[in-house]
Amino acid sequence: MEKGKKVKQKKDKETFVEDGDGDCWWWIVEKGTAATFFIIALYASLVRVAVSYHPYSGAGKPPKFGDFEAQRHWMEITLNLPIKEWYRNSTSNDLSYWGLDYPPLTAYQSFIHGLFLRFFHPDSVSLFTSRGHESYLGKLLMRWTVLSSDALIFFPAVLYFVIVYYNQLSPCRKSDIAWHIAVILLNPCLILIDHGHFQYNCIGLGLIIGAVAAILSGKDLVASFLYCLALNHKQMSAYFAPAFFSYLLGKCLRRKYPLIEVSKLGLVVLGTFAAVWWPYLYSLDSILEVLSRLAPFERGIYEDYVANFWCTSSILIKWKRLLTTQSLKLLSFTATILTCLPSMIQQIKSPSPQGFLYGLLNSSFSFYLFSFQVHEKSILLPLLPASLLAVEEPFLFRWFMQFAMLSMFPLMRRDELVLAYVSLLALFMLIFNAPGQQTQHKIRENNCFTGIAIMYLPILCCFFILHIVYLTVRPPDKYPFLFEAVIMLLCFSQFILITLCTNLKQWTLKKPVKSEEMKKKLI
């Protein structure tokens, strides 16, 4: 028996090497998913630490500094003021100076992180006197709060997803699992924004990944709970709402008692929201006070040179001059819902785990391209489901990742993160073309996107040329933002192509096999 086991292991190893996997992957994948994950997570943590040594948003730029100061200020406010005053303008809380504009779960997170900072360095979160605080210890502690958020929320969520995905949805080679873990944990856009620019997207995205994994494992109530937490951490998690709603509704409609199933999900949603919002449920005015902070319509329909429809088309159509804010809200809402509908209808008609993943990508793209008040950093949201589909759609993932990076390049330049940007882009290309993965990529790329792959090469040349031009050539005085506009136009054109392809792919997926048919096949 023991001899037969050893022969089988030897055979597996030989097959693994013959399939094209190099020695550099063999030791990792043979140790199992847990060991593989631990090694890659350790490396991903070291990469995050390296990036955190670079500058951050608003470093040394008074009077308002940047996102780093916003996050630190929220810790200051939540620590020193009563909970009912966190979202209220007062002499102690000037909302014009980085007032809280995320849901209550972000405020609770700021409070917990503020306790950590106050324990080691009270001056960094003292009321009023800590504004613009940039001591070495203060910055170090702030960086550690993001690293700990990754370690406690994002990394475990990815492990949960990988275990569920490869056990239930996509059985494949062990090297694919290692590669997939690497591309999710070493997502260059997420690392640059959270550990360079400085934010806590890892918390909201980690909760989303956990919710996705729960959906794939059939734990719909757990998925609803986790998704509601994500929605209460950052309102941009609403980008995924159409996908969750349509999949769960489609699934409930196929149950014996659909009304009971919908009611159970509704109770979980209401219960989670009630728990998170409990300190503000004492009056309607208090609720509206918080809600008014979550929808900053006064900022306009877009910010900076974001590669979405409204900003790109504003070159020809001056939306802000032609229409009022109220009209633009209605127009953007209608456009977002209409572009979400095809994906939603497909999932209501034929819900499936695979279709749900494509639905996440399509709904988040609709919000990024057409919703109100979109920022460059919002590209992280559609990029998340694209990374979850990376093994199945490697060409799509590489294509999207490269132009997601390019769309953020002007922001990285402003934050003086060019070196970190170039390093992470190079690291991504190395991981994507890891030994043993090139053959698999070619096999999968032959199955879809073949026509687009032909015209992809000249576009890729533009991708590299634009980086060089942006860094070395000064734009004309008459058009100081010429290169930002060109980058925006190129990225927008690619994002439109990607979302058209993924919507088409979702509608052409094979219908899910019924459980009875699956049992027959297994027998």
Side-chain angles (χ1 to χ4, degrees):
M1 187 75 176
E2 191 68 31
K3 189 178 179 183
K5 194 176 180 183
K6 287 180 180 177
V7 169
K8 188 178 182 301
Q9 286 176 345
K10 187 179 178 184
K11 211 169 186 181
D12 287 344
K13 178 182 173 181
E14 287 170 359
T15 305
F16 176 68
V17 174
E18 283 169 11
D19 282 346
D21 297 85
D23 292 335
C24 62
W25 285 100
W26 183 83
W27 186 86
I28 295 176
V29 300
E30 282 298 301
K31 294 297 178 183
T33 303
T36 300
F37 183 86
F38 176 77
I39 294 161
I40 297 172
L42 182 61
Y43 179 72
S45 300
L46 292 173
V47 171
R48 283 162 165 77
V49 170
V51 171
S52 69
Y53 278 97
H54 289 77
Y56 50 82
S57 171
K61 295 176 183 176
K64 289 192 71 173
F65 301 91
D67 273 11
F68 180 92
E69 170 62 10
Q71 302 289 342
R72 188 215 57 78
H73 179 64
W74 295 347
M75 296 176 198
E76 170 197 340
I77 292 300
T78 53
L79 271 177
N80 295 289
L81 297 180
I83 194 168
K84 293 176 182 178
E85 294 183 23
W86 289 354
Y87 292 90
R88 186 176 296 163
N89 195 53
S90 65
T91 52
S92 301
N93 185 18
D94 180 7
L95 293 181
S96 64
Y97 184 83
W98 298 119
L100 263 166
D101 53 9
Y102 285 131
L105 198 59
T106 288
Y108 305 150
Q109 167 230 311
S110 297
F111 175 75
I112 292 167
H113 285 156
L115 290 173
F116 172 72
L117 260 72
R118 187 168 66 182
F119 182 81
F120 290 102
H121 192 31
D123 290 346
S124 63
V125 285
S126 61
L127 193 62
F128 300 127
T129 58
S130 62
R131 300 254 172 120
H133 187 91
E134 292 186 306
S135 71
Y136 176 78
L137 180 57
K139 288 186 283 188
L140 183 65
L141 293 170
M142 287 284 285
R143 292 295 195 186
W144 274 104
T145 61
V146 189
L147 283 166
S148 63
S149 299
D150 259 320
L152 294 173
I153 298 173
F154 188 75
F155 285 17
V158 173
L159 178 59
Y160 179 28
F161 169 79
V162 167
I163 291 169
V164 171
Y165 183 78
Y166 287 101
N167 280 344
Q168 300 194 22
L169 200 65
S170 180
C172 65
R173 304 177 317 155
K174 289 181 179 179
S175 61
D176 280 339
I177 300 175
W179 182 83
H180 203 178
I181 293 168
V183 297
I184 298 174
L185 293 186
L186 289 160
N187 179 332
C189 292
L190 178 60
I191 295 173
L192 282 168
I193 293 299
D194 276 13
H195 299 273
H197 179 85
F198 200 89
Q199 282 193 345
Y200 295 92
N201 293 290
C202 56
I203 296 175
L205 295 181
L207 291 168
I208 293 291
I209 294 174
V212 171
I215 286 277
L216 299 183
S217 59
K219 298 174 183 176
D220 296 343
L221 298 180
V222 174
S224 298
F225 170 70
L226 291 173
Y227 177 66
C228 288
L229 289 181
L231 203 53
N232 279 290
H233 185 259
K234 281 197 174 183
Q235 59 268 40
M236 282 81 75
S237 296
Y239 282 32
F240 302 114
F244 276 93
F245 172 80
S246 56
Y247 174 80
L248 291 172
L249 178 61
K251 200 172 174 184
C252 287
L253 292 175
R254 278 153 185 78
R255 298 277 176 85
K256 190 175 181 180
Y257 302 107
L259 193 59
I260 293 174
E261 297 299 327
V262 171
S263 299
K264 285 195 291 186
L265 291 170
L267 285 172
V268 170
V269 170
L270 290 173
T272 307
F273 269 82
V276 174
W277 285 71
W278 186 255
Y280 302 98
L281 296 181
Y282 63 90
S283 74
L284 181 61
D285 287 341
S286 178
I287 296 170
L288 293 175
E289 199 171 55
V290 179
L291 288 174
S292 66
R293 294 295 304 158
L294 307 186
F297 293 118
E298 71 280 354
R299 293 184 191 174
I301 196 165
Y302 56 83
E303 283 193 27
D304 297 326
Y305 280 83
V306 60
N308 78 341
F309 173 78
W310 304 111
C311 191
T312 306
S313 61
S314 68
I315 295 173
L316 299 174
I317 306 168
K318 305 303 177 186
W319 298 105
K320 292 180 181 180
R321 295 179 196 170
L322 285 173
L323 300 171
T324 62
T325 300
Q326 194 65 30
S327 300
L328 285 172
K329 281 194 288 183
L330 181 61
L331 187 61
S332 64
F333 176 78
T334 305
T336 304
I337 295 301
L338 286 175
T339 50
C340 281
L341 272 178
S343 176
M344 292 178 69
I345 291 168
Q346 190 275 333
Q347 277 303 279
I348 293 171
K349 283 178 64 179
S350 182
S352 68
Q354 191 184 30
F356 170 66
L357 291 176
Y358 281 96
L360 289 170
L361 179 54
N362 291 325
S363 70
S364 56
F365 246 137
S366 293
F367 273 80
Y368 178 83
L369 292 170
F370 296 102
S371 65
F372 199 98
Q373 229 325 281
V374 176
H375 197 279
E376 305 107 301
K377 299 186 283 286
S378 301
I379 199 63
L380 290 175
L381 293 153
L383 195 55
L384 177 68
S387 65
L388 301 183
L389 285 163
V391 169
E392 190 169 338
E393 300 287 3
F395 173 75
L396 166 76
F397 176 63
R398 179 181 60 184
W399 181 17
F400 186 15
M401 179 65 79
Q402 287 173 337
F403 287 98
M405 287 282 282
L406 179 61
S407 71
M408 296 197 319
F409 187 54
L411 176 66
M412 297 299 105
R413 172 81 182 276
R414 287 199 300 274
D415 289 343
E416 299 177 16
L417 289 165
V418 174
L419 179 59
Y421 174 96
V422 173
S423 302
L424 286 173
L425 182 59
L427 179 61
F428 167 74
M429 296 307 295
L430 285 171
I431 293 169
F432 186 86
N433 296 294
Q437 295 301 320
Q438 295 172 3
T439 307
Q440 292 299 311
H441 294 340
K442 286 174 184 176
I443 291 168
R444 292 187 178 102
E445 285 169 19
N446 287 333
N447 295 331
C448 61
F449 302 117
T450 45
I452 296 166
I454 297 167
M455 66 177 189
Y456 175 70
L457 290 174
I459 294 170
L460 194 60
C461 292
C462 294
F463 169 85
F464 288 109
I465 291 167
L466 269 173
H467 282 92
I468 298 166
V469 169
Y470 191 80
L471 289 173
T472 58
V473 180
R474 183 180 173 181
D477 293 336
K478 192 177 179 182
Y479 304 105
F481 301 106
L482 175 65
F483 299 143
E484 284 88 346
V486 173
I487 288 172
M488 174 188 69
L489 284 165
L490 179 62
C491 292
F492 173 71
S493 67
Q494 301 311 297
F495 295 159
I496 286 289
L497 278 173
I498 293 169
T499 194
L500 287 173
C501 289
T502 51
N503 271 279
L504 179 63
K505 183 65 185 284
Q506 185 180 338
W507 272 92
T508 54
L509 288 172
K510 292 179 182 178
K511 288 186 178 180
V513 181
K514 292 181 181 178
S515 57
E516 292 177 6
E517 293 175 14
M518 183 64 78
K519 284 177 185 176
K520 285 179 184 177
K521 286 184 179 180
L522 289 172
I523 292 166

